[in-house]
Amino acid sequence: EIRIEPTNICNAKCIMCPSSTMNREKGVMSSETHQVILKKLSDWGAPISIITHAGLGEPLLDKNLEERIKNEKKVFPHAQIIVYTNGGLLSKERSITLIESGVDVVSFSINAFKKETYEMIMNIPRDITYRNVEQFLEIKQKSCAKVNIHVSLVKTDICLSDEVEEFK
């Protein structure tokens, strides 16, 4: 498995994420660096079966994410490619290009069910994120794409057990 952090910039300020306190320079991985990673792994003959796009940033802030996924599919055609996202930036157009890129799994980090709790934890608008995720699901279903959808919740002191059950 290879885990790629395409960017360490994020649109959210989740209370459980150290992103806002990290000292390293913020930015987006260059296309050249991404190509070097793929080439070195390919030349080495690494048995890559999973490629994830995650880290301390929001992968959708990488304008080249879909191209990266397409390149990864060329180099490692049997690898499962996973994108972890908070969904807050997933427009209709981006949903279509992400699905068309060949991504295998999109994992949405939805860390609360109720609007107030969600916005306290994530610091982005819940209604926009939920609308984006629902729109992504509709586009996926209409296109008959084989993209799997995962949804996760990181339990915090703010999101109580009752809400976790409601979330399920």
Side-chain angles (χ1 to χ4, degrees):
E1 178 176 342
I2 179 171
R3 297 176 187 207
I4 297 174
E5 182 182 58
T7 182
N8 59 3
I9 302 168
C10 194
N11 60 312
K13 303 263 185 285
C14 304
I15 61 170
M16 67 291 222
C17 181
S19 177
S20 62
T21 61
M22 74 179 176
N23 293 322
R24 64 186 167 119
E25 185 178 330
K26 294 196 177 193
V28 177
M29 178 187 290
S30 71
S31 295
E32 294 77 23
T33 299
H34 185 256
Q35 287 300 324
V36 166
I37 292 168
L38 294 181
K39 179 163 180 18
K40 285 187 176 192
L41 289 169
S42 177
D43 290 350
W44 176 47
I48 302 298
S49 60
I50 298 173
I51 301 172
T52 63
H53 292 272
L56 295 180
E58 169 53 51
L60 295 178
L61 285 168
D62 176 4
K63 292 179 174 44
N64 297 313
L65 179 64
E66 290 84 349
E67 285 306 311
R68 294 187 203 282
I69 293 169
K70 289 176 187 176
N71 288 333
E72 292 161 1
K73 281 292 188 182
K74 286 178 191 169
V75 176
F76 298 103
H78 302 294
Q80 180 183 53
I81 299 179
I82 305 169
V83 172
Y84 291 88
T85 178
N86 61 45
L89 302 173
L90 195 57
S91 66
K92 180 178 181 179
E93 297 76 22
R94 197 69 192 267
S95 293
I96 292 167
T97 60
L98 188 58
I99 290 169
E100 290 175 348
S101 73
V103 69
D104 296 291
V105 177
V106 177
S107 182
F108 293 101
S109 300
I110 310 287
N111 293 305
F113 183 72
K114 296 177 182 169
K115 179 180 174 64
E116 313 79 52
T117 311
Y118 178 90
E119 291 179 357
M120 283 176 59
I121 292 171
M122 305 285 289
N123 288 292
I124 57 175
R126 176 201 181 269
D127 294 344
I128 291 172
T129 300
Y130 271 51
R131 183 189 71 225
N132 291 349
V133 173
E134 289 170 355
Q135 180 176 257
F136 183 85
L137 291 170
E138 288 173 17
I139 293 168
K140 174 205 174 300
Q141 289 170 339
K142 286 180 184 173
S143 70
C144 299
K146 295 182 180 181
V147 179
N148 289 312
I149 308 297
H150 297 178
V151 180
S152 66
L153 178 147
V154 173
K155 189 162 178 340
T156 62
D157 292 339
I158 295 172
C159 188
L160 303 175
S161 296
D162 290 351
E163 187 167 349
V164 172
E165 289 306 309
E166 200 173 350
F167 176 85
K168 290 179 185 176

